Amino acid sequence: MPQARREKKDHLIYADVVDSKSKAGVWMGERASFQEKQGRIIEALKEQTDWVELKDAIMVIGTDPAGITVIVPNPTLPGVIVLADGGTPATSAKLQAAAEEKVRAVMGELGIAEEESTA
């Protein structure tokens, strides 16, 4: 039987971060000013990918492998969410992994630390 999602009163508490790490994404170690860092990451990614603008996000369109990837700052937690669709689970997983590595590379270039996921 479906269960309702638990109510969240404070999105920045540690337990919420741990719960959310099971979702796709790359997490920053620095929580202070994370939205400014997210903006820097997205702007740098625009220079390195073929992209289509979405409000406060980018959509990368690829042909090898074929598919789309949406990269967006998490609005309430210090991280960047990566969602990929390649038509098959295997292709989607390849796109997801490639985009997450690109985000990590950009973070490294910008000097923004990644936090290890506990999920």
Side-chain angles (χ1 to χ4, degrees):
M1 178 168 196
Q3 294 182 351
R5 184 175 175 167
R6 67 180 174 81
E7 184 178 330
K8 298 179 184 181
K9 297 199 185 313
D10 181 351
H11 286 282
L12 296 177
I13 60 174
Y14 178 75
D16 188 46
V17 173
V18 173
D19 287 349
S20 294
K21 285 189 179 182
S22 62
K23 297 176 187 170
V26 180
W27 296 95
M28 289 175 252
E30 177 60 49
R31 284 173 176 69
S33 71
F34 70 84
Q35 290 177 333
E36 180 269 332
K37 289 180 177 66
Q38 289 169 333
R40 289 175 46 212
I41 291 166
I42 295 300
E43 288 305 312
L45 284 165
K46 287 179 179 180
E47 298 294 322
Q48 299 182 24
T49 60
D50 294 325
W51 59 278
V52 174
E53 187 167 7
L54 304 173
K55 182 157 175 48
D56 300 323
I58 59 174
M59 180 169 60
V60 179
I61 301 168
T63 57
D64 187 24
I68 61 169
T69 306
V70 175
I71 305 171
V72 59
N74 187 313
T76 59
L77 295 170
V80 177
I81 298 170
V82 178
L83 305 171
D85 184 0
T88 68
T91 303
S92 296
K94 287 173 90 173
L95 288 167
Q96 178 88 28
E100 287 181 6
E101 282 310 306
K102 176 66 84 175
V103 172
R104 287 184 179 96
V106 166
M107 288 172 66
E109 292 168 10
L110 296 174
I112 299 173
E114 179 181 359
E115 179 177 303
E116 287 297 317
S117 174
T118 58

